[in-house]
Amino acid sequence: MAADRPPVPGRVVFDPLRPTEKPQEYYDEIKRKFAEARDLRLSYRPEGLSQYTSDLTGELAQYEIDPYVAAPESREPIHDTVEVLFIGGGFSALLTAARLRERGVQSIRIVERGGDVGGTWYWNRYPGVACDVSAYDYLPLLDEMNYVPGSFYAKGPEIFAHCQAIARKYDLYELAVFQTTVTSTQWDAKAKLWRVRTDRGDTMSARFVICANGTLSKPKLSKIEGMERFRGHSFHSSRFDYGYTKDDLSGLHNKVVGIIGTGASAVQIIPRVAKAAKQLYVFQRTPSAIDIRDDTPTDPAWKASLQPGWQHERREKHMRGPVLTEQQKIDLANLPREEKIRRQENQNIEHMMRIHRRVEEIVQDKATAEALKPWYMHRCKRPCFDDEYLPAFNRPNVHLVDTDGKGITEIDEKGPVFDGREYPLDVLIYATGFEVQVTGIYNEIRGENGLELNEKYADGMRTVFGVHSHGYPNLFIMGGYQASFQFNLTFMLQTQGDHIAECIKYVREHGYTTIDAAPQTEQWWVDEVIKHRGKTNRNKECTPGYYNFEGESNRRQDGNYNGTFLQYYTHMTEVKKEMERHFRFA
Ligand code: NDP
């Protein structure tokens, strides 16, 4: 297969076989600075995850209102029974539903809080929204949809349209229910059905329930003293208020805008709002690492060369990793573990120093450039790719308010206050992120004996692949912890979706009604997760962020599975060869 585009010049390819170039003292000195930056940041917010709130009720309720559709009209409650019910209508649901359709499942319902399918791509419509993963890998079901994205990186509207196209192709709109939030999911052991209640008075029943509520779905806000007193207009990045800004952002021409946060969402918003606003104040706590984007349109010759199954082939290749020669394999096997880690860290540092040089080359004001340099290891935070972000700080109307790790801690009627200075704003955008990987957000899940899932997890998470949990028959969890974590999330979700569809097929074809994880399989997986976590100090040494629970220590079993993606996939394949041993059927 022809390459989809040439490699971006200057981008580092990590290679453990490449010896370190500079004296070790050089790297040690930078690592020391990383540690200092982390300690400083942590000293201001030692409370970890609780510095945020996602309880957007009362005075904060406005931050969760859906600005993209009219308020829901009243409808009759639904009390029917379906075979498969998805909680959430994003990519998890869509790509799994496609696999279920391929296996003959007719009765599929999506229950979705938003006004359409799409999940992340329904909610995130801020200016500049795009995916940072190559579109040829990120957009699922490209083979099945016979679709090749128009450029290397897909923009939000193209991805949202792809979600809708999948829902149409697989007839998923037919039974879908929108603007509806699942509030409780309870196992009825007698009927062997899940009873699903919603905020619209529905009591739906389903043989199988798939928690497809996504990994970053519920907006969160930093707890900032006085935020409810702000008299200007404000909204969260995932509820972008085009009613106020106008579609072309012309509503911002005479406005002073502020944005809190400089994560992946803010990095995409800032250059676009910078062009439209009278003044833009960017309130930064920790800078993001901004790499070259260099988006390119899809090469028509490459597109024409694609054979059926091309995306599947690409995915397999990605999972198997780079092809090594026999000699490389021997060298790698002989490399002591400590040396491997050292090389990885040193290459990481080289990469981050290149990111620093890029800032210096682009940002003209020296103090601003210094403040925009990230002091942490590559991938401690989500790396960003944008060619317009750094140049935006050369505009006379854009002002970086660097809080040097402290963050904004006070807002008054007029705007944020930092270091004794008030920043009066017309509009304040919170780009402060999302609650991470919570199963059953808004929703209480009670399995056998009425045990709530979080009660079961009180002494530590217990699942198989992050997907099944013993005592919750016919329930499947997507995108939760104890699963693999991939930069390209949809590859991982597709792996889970394929697995779930196979499990449901097995139940149907063998005349069973239920499937539940066997306790010993669950114990094996918990041990497997623990075995692969905490092997390095990386998480502890990283600057705080949602990747490392904002610096909080956590139980080893309560995070992602840190074996390789291939190991995760292989374990799933092996388990499926002995279904009767690993699961209990009835
Ligand atoms: P993040 O959680 O990544 O960022 C939140 C930002 O808010 C951080 O910069 C944080 O600073 C800042 N912040 C929080 N509290 C304060 C405060 N009191 N004062 C100042 N700053 C504050 O959320 P995002 O929405 O940006 O991104 C979430 C995830 O969504 C990404 O990691 C990525 O996985 C996904 N995403 C993916 C995209 C893609 O292209 N695929 C595009 C956009 C998002 P600090 O860093 O110090 O905590």
Side-chain angles (χ1 to χ4, degrees), residues 41 45 51-52 121 126 130-133 216 220 222-224 236-237 260-266 268 283-286 288 293 381-382 403 406-409 431-434 544-547 550:
R41 163 70 176 75
R45 289 282 195 174
Q51 70 184 276
Y52 288 104
W121 304 102
Y126 56 74
C131 185
D132 285 342
V133 176
L216 295 162
K220 67 175 162 56
S222 180
K223 288 180 192 160
I224 301 174
H236 187 269
S237 57
I260 294 187
T262 48
S265 300
Q268 294 183 332
F283 299 96
Q284 172 180 273
R285 186 164 68 181
T286 312
S288 278
R293 188 164 191 91
K381 285 184 179 287
R382 173 96 182 185
T403 66
K406 186 168 190 193
I408 293 299
T409 53
T432 48
F434 304 85
Y546 75 83
Y547 279 11
E550 301 294 338

Side-chain angles (χ1 to χ4, degrees), residues 256-493:
V256 180
V257 183
I259 182 161
I260 294 187
T262 48
S265 300
V267 164
Q268 294 183 332
I269 295 169
I270 286 164
R272 286 87 211 175
V273 168
K275 285 184 197 151
K278 184 161 90 178
Q279 302 290 335
L280 172 63
Y281 288 89
V282 176
F283 299 96
Q284 172 180 273
R285 186 164 68 181
T286 312
S288 278
I290 317 293
D291 210 339
I292 305 158
R293 188 164 191 91
D294 193 25
D295 195 7
T296 41
T298 298
D299 175 2
W302 174 72
K303 183 176 169 180
S305 76
L306 295 173
Q307 301 298 315
W310 66 271
Q311 193 192 35
H312 178 76
E313 194 187 308
R314 220 177 139 92
R315 184 172 152 215
E316 293 278 303
K317 210 168 132 190
H318 165 89
M319 199 157 50
R320 293 188 194 283
V323 181
L324 300 178
T325 63
E326 285 312 309
Q327 188 55 48
Q328 283 171 323
K329 282 183 199 161
I330 295 166
D331 291 348
L332 205 55
N334 288 335
L335 198 65
R337 192 171 162 269
E338 293 70 33
E339 178 60 12
K340 209 164 144 186
I341 294 172
R342 192 174 73 94
R343 285 186 187 182
Q344 206 149 26
E345 278 188 355
N346 291 351
Q347 288 180 29
N348 233 310
I349 289 169
E350 284 166 16
H351 172 86
M352 291 307 281
M353 292 307 106
R354 183 178 63 77
I355 295 289
H356 281 203
R357 285 197 295 280
R358 190 162 181 258
V359 179
E360 283 166 12
E361 283 159 18
I362 297 174
V363 179
Q364 288 149 8
D365 178 72
K366 290 274 168 284
T368 307
E370 278 310 304
L372 286 167
K373 290 179 182 173
W375 288 96
Y376 47 80
M377 285 284 184
H378 176 57
R379 292 208 178 185
C380 276
K381 285 184 179 287
R382 173 96 182 185
C384 299
F385 304 87
D386 202 289
D387 297 335
E388 293 179 60
Y389 179 74
L390 293 172
F393 291 93
N394 293 332
R395 299 177 64 96
N397 68 330
V398 177
H399 316 280
L400 180 69
V401 182
D402 177 40
T403 66
D404 195 18
K406 186 168 190 193
I408 293 299
T409 53
E410 189 188 344
I411 295 180
D412 67 16
E413 294 82 359
K414 292 193 178 142
V417 178
F418 180 69
D419 231 2
R421 181 176 161 191
E422 182 188 62
Y423 292 86
L425 303 175
D426 297 305
V427 195
L428 177 56
I429 304 169
Y430 289 97
T432 48
F434 304 85
E435 224 183 55
V436 189
Q437 291 187 313
V438 178
T439 303
I441 40 171
Y442 312 105
N443 172 20
E444 174 184 298
I445 302 172
R446 294 196 180 274
E448 280 174 347
N449 309 319
L451 187 67
E452 213 279 324
L453 192 61
N454 288 307
E455 288 167 18
K456 170 173 171 173
Y457 291 168
D459 296 326
M461 280 194 68
R462 300 189 65 77
T463 75
V464 179
F465 306 137
V467 172
H468 315 261
S469 194
H470 173 67
Y472 299 80
N474 290 2
L475 184 87
F476 304 91
I477 299 160
M478 299 187 73
Y481 283 124
Q482 294 202 347
S484 180
F485 180 77
Q486 291 300 304
F487 191 65
N488 181 9
L489 189 67
T490 58
F491 269 179
M492 205 288 293
L493 293 175

